[in-house]
Each structure stands twice: as C-alpha cells, then as structure tokens.
C-alpha cells in the first residue's frame, strides 16, 4: 500500500521513471546485454541517480510554490447578509486568525510526504539506492 499526502505521489512516479531510465540507458549503450546480467544494476543505479536529481529539483522548485505557507482563516457569520457584485447572497466572511499574544496573522504550511517522509528527503534516499545499485553491479561483474 502506498501512503502519500499532497504531492508525495510524484516521488513514486519519479522512482518508477528512474528505473525505466536506467533500462533505457542500458538499451542505448549496450543493446546486446541481457537484462539478467549483473551489469544491469549499474545502469539502474545511474537511472536512480538521475531520478534523485529530478526529485531534488521537484522538491526545490515546484514544491516551494505548491506547498507555500497559506494564511489561516475562519469563516464568520455576518450579522446582515448582503448581495455581492455577482448577484450571490453572502452570509459569511473569511476572517484571518491572529496569534493571541502577538497579534500577528497565523500561517499554515502544507506538507507533501511519501510513506510519512517529506519529499525533500526522498532525493537523498533515491541517490543512496542508486549508489548501492552501482556498487553491487560493479562488484558482481
């Protein structure tokens, strides 16, 4: 079972694409090599390293915007409903939540995870798997 929150499923897709990239690199560079050969692990490891770079870039650039802090608001009932410019009757309004001691507005920061691990750490996990695959591939050949 795959457990993710928000954009964590992208890590799972990157993981799968990196395995495919490893086999594609192997097919392009050494087309006669059998898939069961020990050297295949080297190419899959290289694919994992490429996937780690993609996961790092996704976490660094895309998640900075997708998981940006958002103001916390509560919906408050209006004493007198009114009709807005679109002809809809408005009965509630969004009121920002303020810190009781400082009076500053509170913000929430959503988090994207895969298996309860934040997306920003998965680049290092995928890179470690790639290095292990490369080392095992070299040692077994």
């Amino acid at each position: 079972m795959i457990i993710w929150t928000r954009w964590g499923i992208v890590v799972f897709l990157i993981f799968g694409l990196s395995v495919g990239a490893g086999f594609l690199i192997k097919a392009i560079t050494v087309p006669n090599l059998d898939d069961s050969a020990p050297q295949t692990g080297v190419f899959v490891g290289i694919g994992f390293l490429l996937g780690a770079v993609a996961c790092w870039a996704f976490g660094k650039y895309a998640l900075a915007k997708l998981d940006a802090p958002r103001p916390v608001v509560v919906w408050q009932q209006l004493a007198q409903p009114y009709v807005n410019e679109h002809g809809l009757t408005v009965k509630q309004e969004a009121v920002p939540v303020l810190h009781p001691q400082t009076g500053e507005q509170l913000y929430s920061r959503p988090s994207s995870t895969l298996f309860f691990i934040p997306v920003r750490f998965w680049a290092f996990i995928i890179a470690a798997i790639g290095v292990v695959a490369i080392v095992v591939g070299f040692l077994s050949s």
Side-chain angles (χ1 to χ4, degrees), residues 5 7 15 20 23 27 41 48 50 66 72 74 79 92-93 109-110 126 138 140:
T5 59
W7 296 98
F15 196 80
F23 280 109
F48 278 137
L50 293 174
L66 295 172
V72 178
V74 293
Q92 298 175 345
E93 68 177 346
R109 182 171 181 94
I126 294 172
F138 275 129
S140 62

Side-chain angles (χ1 to χ4, degrees), residues 21 30 42 45 48-50 53 56 58 64 67 80 86 88 95-96 105 112-113 116 124 138:
V30 189
V42 173
F48 278 137
L49 292 178
L50 293 174
V53 170
W56 176 83
F58 174 73
D67 284 350
Q80 182 67 33
H86 301 292
L88 299 172
V95 178
Q105 185 174 4
S112 297
T113 63
F116 309 109
F124 304 109
F138 275 129

Side-chain angles (χ1 to χ4, degrees), residues 12-81:
F12 182 72
L13 297 174
I14 289 172
F15 196 80
L17 290 174
S18 63
V19 171
F23 280 109
L24 182 65
I25 292 168
K26 180 191 76 73
I28 291 171
T29 58
V30 189
N32 300 340
L33 188 63
D34 184 23
D35 284 344
S36 62
Q39 295 84 2
T40 302
V42 173
F43 294 107
V44 172
I46 293 169
F48 278 137
L49 292 178
L50 293 174
V53 170
C55 187
W56 176 83
F58 174 73
K60 177 80 172 169
Y61 298 110
L63 280 185
K65 294 178 182 159
L66 295 172
D67 284 350
R70 297 185 174 112
V72 178
V73 297
V74 293
W75 290 93
Q76 185 176 18
Q77 190 76 24
L78 292 174
Q80 182 67 33

Side-chain angles (χ1 to χ4, degrees), residues 97-106:
V97 176
L98 304 177
H99 190 275
Q101 295 171 347
T102 63
E104 295 178 355
Q105 185 174 4
L106 296 179

